[in-house]
Amino acid sequence: MSKISLLGTGLNGLIGSKFVSDFEDQYDFDNLDLRNPVRPVDITNEKQVMSVISQSPANFLVHMAAYTDVTGAWQQSGDLNGPCYSVNVKGTENLVKACEATGKHLIYLSTAYVFDGEKTEPYLETDTPNPIEWYGQTKAMAEEIVQKSSLNWTILRIDMPFRNDRFEKIDTLHRVIEGIKSGKLYPQFGDHHFGPTYINDFVKIIDFIIRHNMTGLFHASSGETWTDFEFAKLINETLNLGFNVQEGSLAKYLETNSRPYQKNTALNIDKIKASLDFEQKSIKEAVKETILWD
Ligand SMILES: NC(=O)c1ccc[n+]([C@@H]2O[C@H](COP(=O)([O-])OP(=O)(O)OC[C@H]3O[C@@H](n4cnc5c(N)ncnc54)[C@H](OP(=O)(O)O)[C@@H]3O)[C@@H](O)[C@H]2O)c1
């Protein structure tokens, strides 16, 4: 079977590298990446982006590159010259322009942090974004640029992703395991709700979107809601780590910390689930697949 050409950004990242390793037999990946020694591409550089995209035979571009350090982003709040705004907003704008000029379909990876976290139920695609910190604000601005374009576009929102193996950037699952292994896991919030995303399944959703040419806005986490405390207990018990996980409180934490924090970022995934031709694993099943290391 001949491989399908696919443009991507952020393909060396936590999610992107898993997509590449699981689908390298199917796609011929071309990553617009700063680290590429032969042809480095900075997505904030409009000319570089246009030059590479206009020479590519690919019909799709999966855009995963982002400034993802939420605390670092908060320290740049309102800074239109800072790296967070440059990468997340200007970078996306450059990719949108180039995809418009060349007729490519853009798949944009976004986040539940576009919401304010005040809803007590999982968020729907029809809920209005109202980001409360700079990372979420820049991702929401980028979503708007994509949605207002003349492109064929798909936006996939996820929350708290984790994979079954350990990657250089620590994820939601491995943060807990490392905390337990070092004996320094802080009390875990029992009043903070989130919607974990199992990356091993999520990369199959990206492939599904490409194969079925799906356009529109979709929530694409596991669809489950967990608290930090329950999630940490699940990991501890499933992997027999023998730790005594303590419960903490986000409300208490916020009394002394000024960085805004969404109380609930769980996502309702009924819309995408109605189309998928495979079942995603439950979070309990996903945690069982964790590959432990020494
Ligand atoms: N991780 C999460 O908790 C989370 C949650 C919800 C949504 N998301 C979204 O999912 C996507 C992927 O996240 P991730 O955690 O996999 O990201 P990540 O591991 O932080 O990787 C980000 C990638 O962006 C690339 N990048 C940054 N600036 C760039 C620039 N100027 N030009 C070209 N490439 C640049 C980086 O390239 P280098 O490796 O060369 O630096 C890196 O490969 C992002 O859009 C993020 O907003 C993530």
Side-chain angles (χ1 to χ4, degrees):
M1 197 179 70
S2 66
K3 292 192 196 180
I4 301 164
S5 294
L6 187 63
L7 281 161
T9 71
L11 295 183
N12 287 319
L14 173 70
I15 299 164
S17 60
K18 185 71 184 151
F19 183 44
V20 171
S21 65
D22 284 7
F23 285 93
E24 61 191 359
D25 291 342
Q26 197 167 315
Y27 295 108
D28 188 6
F29 290 100
D30 185 2
N31 190 17
L32 278 66
D33 182 29
L34 280 166
R35 275 197 258 171
N36 185 326
V38 184
R39 191 213 55 200
V41 179
D42 180 346
I43 63 163
T44 67
N45 183 318
E46 191 177 342
K47 275 195 186 144
Q48 278 179 11
V49 166
M50 187 64 85
S51 158
V52 172
I53 292 181
S54 60
Q55 289 172 50
S56 168
N59 293 323
F60 287 83
L61 187 151
V62 184
H63 173 29
M64 309 200 205
Y67 185 96
T68 55
D69 172 0
V70 180
T71 303
W74 176 63
Q75 287 155 354
Q76 299 164 38
S77 293
D79 181 359
L80 303 186
N81 296 311
C84 179
Y85 184 87
S86 294
V87 175
N88 294 358
V89 183
K90 286 188 196 149
T92 302
E93 196 168 37
N94 291 339
L95 293 160
V96 165
K97 277 188 200 160
C99 286
E100 276 181 327
T102 54
K104 299 194 195 301
H105 180 150
L106 182 84
I107 300 172
Y108 175 57
L109 209 44
S110 191
T111 168
Y113 284 20
V114 298
F115 297 117
D116 59 19
E118 292 301 318
K119 192 176 173 184
T120 49
E121 294 294 310
Y123 281 93
L124 293 159
E125 288 84 351
T126 47
D127 287 323
T128 308
N130 183 32
I132 57 171
E133 41 67 46
W134 192 233
Y135 166 73
Q137 284 160 3
T138 58
K139 294 293 286 186
M141 287 182 228
E143 278 193 5
E144 214 178 310
I145 292 167
V146 172
Q147 288 178 338
K148 284 190 173 155
S149 72
S150 60
L151 292 172
N152 273 345
W153 58 263
T154 315
I155 295 175
L156 298 174
R157 288 191 190 130
I158 57 168
D159 188 31
M160 300 286 191
F162 70 92
R163 45 196 268 181
N164 72 326
D165 59 340
R166 190 166 176 272
F167 184 67
E168 62 201 47
K169 177 176 139 179
I170 207 89
D171 64 27
T172 310
L173 170 91
H174 291 88
R175 180 188 57 79
V176 173
I177 299 174
E178 297 241 313
I180 289 176
K181 282 191 164 185
S182 66
K184 290 181 191 152
L185 187 73
Y186 291 112
Q188 297 292 295
F189 301 145
D191 54 353
H192 172 245
H193 297 82
F194 68 101
T197 304
Y198 188 36
I199 295 173
N200 299 49
D201 276 345
F202 175 66
V203 294
K204 295 182 195 160
I205 296 184
I206 303 175
D207 168 60
F208 183 87
I209 295 286
I210 296 169
R211 282 191 287 113
H212 293 83
N213 249 308
M214 280 170 66
T215 54
L217 169 63
F218 297 95
H219 290 175
S221 66
S222 60
E224 297 182 22
T225 302
W226 286 78
T227 65
D228 298 18
F229 180 55
E230 291 301 332
F231 187 61
K233 277 200 309 184
L234 172 75
I235 295 165
N236 185 42
E237 282 158 23
T238 308
L239 305 178
N240 291 316
L241 299 177
F243 192 76
N244 181 16
V245 179
Q246 300 290 308
E247 183 166 3
S249 161
L250 174 61
K252 271 223 149 60
Y253 173 84
L254 287 175
E255 284 172 11
T256 51
N257 273 278
S258 49
R259 197 201 108 182
Y261 217 111
Q262 302 84 350
K263 295 188 198 79
N264 172 34
T265 47
L267 298 169
N268 177 306
I269 62 159
D270 289 351
K271 183 178 172 192
I272 197 147
K273 225 174 154 179
S275 300
L276 291 181
D277 60 2
F278 65 93
E279 282 273 319
Q280 293 201 75
K281 295 215 164 63
S282 69
I283 291 303
K284 283 187 179 167
E285 288 169 328
V287 169
K288 277 189 202 151
E289 295 190 339
T290 306
I291 301 165
L292 281 176
W293 68 99
D294 292 332

